Every structure is written in structure tokens, then in C-alpha cells.
Amino acid sequence: MTTNHSSADRDALTRLWDAARPVEPTDAAWDALWARVTDRLDQQQPAEAPTVLAFSPWRRISGRVLIAAQAAAILMAAFLAARHRPVTESHAPTPLAQIAMVHEWDFPPGIIPMIRQDDKGVRFVAFAQDERSNALVGPLDGNFAMYDYMEGLAD
Amino acid sequence: MPILRRRRVDRVVPLPVLNRALFLIGSLLVLIPALALRARGQVPDAPARQVTLFGVIASPFDPRIDPKLAKIAPQLRKLLPGHGFRLLDVQSKRLTASQSVTCNLEDGFTAAATLIQPVDENGKVRLRCAVLQKEVVALESLVTTPANQLFFCDKLLPNATRMLIGIGAR
């Protein structure tokens, strides 16, 4: 197939196009067309927006769960921090204790120690443990038996 | 010719993937402290002692023995011969360091024992013992004592009766 056309052929085609071509739309026609298109798009905007921006129920639920989980984590961390706080051992006397003199005692084992306060002052008195004085059971020393009994009485 | 504007319909972030990632992070934030708490539960508790505190009125004028004290009357009479005894209060509580147990006695007296050190370098227990009268300390002692051994504070009262406070830790 050849692409060489004669001048007569080109003139004939031009005449045929001039006779058959549609009328070019006017500027007013173009403006009207684009106005309709813009209006249609503006009318569709509310319907289109959710398809782009809306969250599905799953997303909403997972978002809430996430917020709740983070809040729980913060609360738990605060709770752990409070419980982890080391207990400081205070040897300082209480304000009330500052009124009275604080006496220090180190009791040896195998005795019944007593801190006695009377008109002679505060002093230490030691009583020997006597197994024969045990009024409860067996060969336990009296101090131990008395301790057991009073602890049981508290319960 | 008017130019048709392009509308933005592109999705920048894949939200399901982001949500799942955030949910995973949130879950880890909960799980890690929970596991730490569980692990702490497996750690041995802080050293503690069962501390028993009781108060008795000993009277040289009334030789009767409170029925609750009948079983230990011989031991009490050894401490204070010629006295009758009446139990005022007895309390026993498991304490860790700095915790206290108190007894309400009569005439505005209160006895308190505070655990200072459950075990010292010699294996003994350190306690602070106080007798308070109307919230004013009348007698206070810092005591180091072997465990399982009662000791007493004996305070002479103005009416010639005695307040006997027994304290022990085990």
C-alpha cells in the first residue's frame, strides 16, 4: 500500500472534510458544558467524601481499644512504680517520742527480759526461764509456752 | 478552554495496617507491665515477723486472776509475785519493716510495737516499743531481741498498780 497521494486527492479530501465536518462549539457552549460538569461534581462531593475519609466500625473499635490499652498501661506503670518504691527504714524517733527518752536494749537469749519503769527510773530486769513453771504442756520453757498461748488468744 | 480540576481521591496511608500496628504496640504496653507484675509475685515477699503485743494490769490489792490468763498465771506470778492479773488487750499481726501493731489499754493508755528490722546481723529482731498515755509517750524503748522470746515492759502507775506489756516476734 502506497502513501503517495496526488495533489488532486488532497484537494478532494479537503473539500470532503469541509463539507462533512461538524460545527465547532462556541465558547459559550464550552462554558455551559464545563459548568454542568463542575456542578455535577460538586453535587457528588458529599457522597464521595465518606468513601475516602470515613472509618469503618472495625477501625473505630480498634482505635478505642488502643486508647484504652494505652491508658491501662499508663495506670499499671504508675501502680508498679508506687509499689516498687523502697520502704525506707526510719530509726528516727517519732515527734511524740522526742518527749520521752528512748532507751536501747539488746536482750540475750534464754531469759525473760523486762524493762521496768518505776520511781527508781527505767532499768533492765532479767528472769531466768524455769521449765518447772510451765503450766501448759510438756518440757517447753515457760516463756515459749506463754508466748504461744497469748498469740493464740489474739487469734 | 476551562481546565477541569482533578479531585483528590488517593489514599495516602493504609489505615488497617496502621491500626493493627498501633493495636499491637498498645497490647505490648499492657502485657509487659502485667508480666513484670507476675514476675514480681514470684519474688519472695519482704521479710516479715508475726508480732504479738498484749497488756495486763497487775494489782497488788486484788489477787484474782483473769480467767483468760489462768493458764499462764504461774509465769505471770513469777514476774510479779503477789499480784492479781487482768487482761486488757492482746493483738498479733504480721508486720514488715516500719509497720506497727497497737493495743488499746485502759485510762487512755496505748501500747505500740513497731518492727524496725525483721532480722539484724545477729539474727535478732529489732522493735520499737512505746507506751503512750493520751498520745504522749510515757515509755519508749528500742529493743533488739531473739525471735520466739517474749519480753516485758513494766510500768508503775500512780495508783500503785502496774501495767505489764508483753511483746514478742517470731
Side-chain angles (χ1 to χ4, degrees):
Chain A
M1 183 178 176
T2 64
T3 58
N4 295 328
H5 297 289
S6 66
S7 174
D9 290 341
R10 285 198 299 271
D11 292 342
L13 283 172
T14 302
R15 283 194 302 274
L16 186 60
W17 167 244
D18 289 341
R21 71 178 177 183
V23 178
E24 186 77 16
T26 63
D27 287 345
W30 276 115
D31 288 344
L33 174 64
W34 290 120
R36 284 203 304 275
V37 171
T38 306
D39 288 344
R40 181 68 59 86
L41 290 173
D42 289 342
Q43 288 171 4
Q44 288 178 349
Q45 186 174 2
E48 288 179 355
T51 61
V52 176
L53 299 174
F55 288 90
S56 66
W58 152 248
R59 289 178 194 160
R60 248 181 260 127
I61 291 169
S62 62
R64 288 172 186 168
V65 170
L66 176 65
I67 291 169
Q70 287 173 336
I74 291 168
L75 284 174
M76 194 167 285
F79 173 73
L80 284 175
R83 291 197 47 154
H84 266 300
R85 188 176 300 158
V87 177
T88 55
E89 182 181 318
S90 172
H91 293 275
T94 60
L96 284 176
Q98 291 170 0
I99 298 170
M101 184 180 292
V102 180
H103 302 271
E104 287 200 39
W105 311 96
D106 188 351
F107 299 144
I111 60 166
I112 302 176
M114 179 181 281
I115 303 164
R116 176 162 282 169
Q117 185 187 40
D118 54 19
D119 48 7
K120 296 176 185 172
V122 179
R123 62 188 190 280
F124 169 69
V125 181
F127 294 84
Q129 289 183 350
D130 182 2
E131 293 178 3
R132 290 171 300 176
S133 68
N134 179 18
L136 295 173
V137 288
L140 291 173
D141 70 73
N143 183 300
F144 193 83
M146 182 160 50
Y147 190 169
D148 271 354
Y149 178 76
M150 293 309 294
E151 189 179 81
L153 210 56
D155 296 337
Chain B
M1 188 172 75
I3 299 171
L4 182 62
R5 287 179 292 136
R6 285 179 63 86
R7 300 180 64 84
R8 293 194 59 182
V9 293
D10 51 331
R11 289 185 172 185
V12 177
V13 179
L15 284 174
V17 175
L18 181 64
N19 264 351
R20 284 171 196 162
L22 290 174
F23 183 74
L24 185 63
I25 292 169
S27 303
L28 288 176
L29 286 174
V30 173
L31 281 176
I32 290 170
L35 291 173
L37 189 64
R38 186 174 176 182
R40 280 190 72 235
Q42 294 167 352
V43 174
D45 291 337
R49 292 285 186 181
Q50 184 76 26
V51 178
T52 300
L53 174 68
F54 60 92
V56 172
I57 282 286
S59 172
F61 315 113
D62 183 358
R64 286 180 296 179
I65 303 288
D66 188 326
K68 290 178 182 172
L69 300 174
K71 287 189 174 180
I72 59 169
Q75 289 92 336
L76 292 173
R77 285 203 180 102
K78 185 179 175 185
L79 299 175
L80 290 170
H83 287 68
F85 299 94
R86 179 166 53 88
L87 180 65
L88 299 175
D89 193 12
V90 55
Q91 298 290 333
S92 186
K93 198 172 173 184
R94 190 161 184 80
L95 304 180
T96 56
S98 302
Q99 292 183 321
S100 300
V101 59
T102 59
C103 267
N104 289 319
L105 310 175
E106 62 182 15
D107 294 334
F109 278 99
T110 307
T114 304
L115 183 63
I116 301 298
Q117 192 175 2
V119 185
D120 74 355
E121 61 275 11
N122 297 316
K124 292 182 176 179
V125 186
R126 295 193 81 199
L127 295 155
R128 177 181 288 124
C129 312
V131 179
L132 299 93
Q133 186 177 21
K134 293 174 182 169
E135 299 185 353
V136 176
V137 175
L139 175 64
E140 182 170 29
S141 295
L142 195 59
V143 173
T144 304
T145 180
N148 284 312
Q149 179 173 289
L150 276 180
F151 64 92
F152 292 87
C153 298
D154 169 28
K155 180 173 175 54
L156 180 65
L157 300 178
N159 62 2
T161 62
R162 311 187 82 97
M163 184 166 291
L164 199 59
I165 311 292
I167 304 160
R170 57 175 36 155

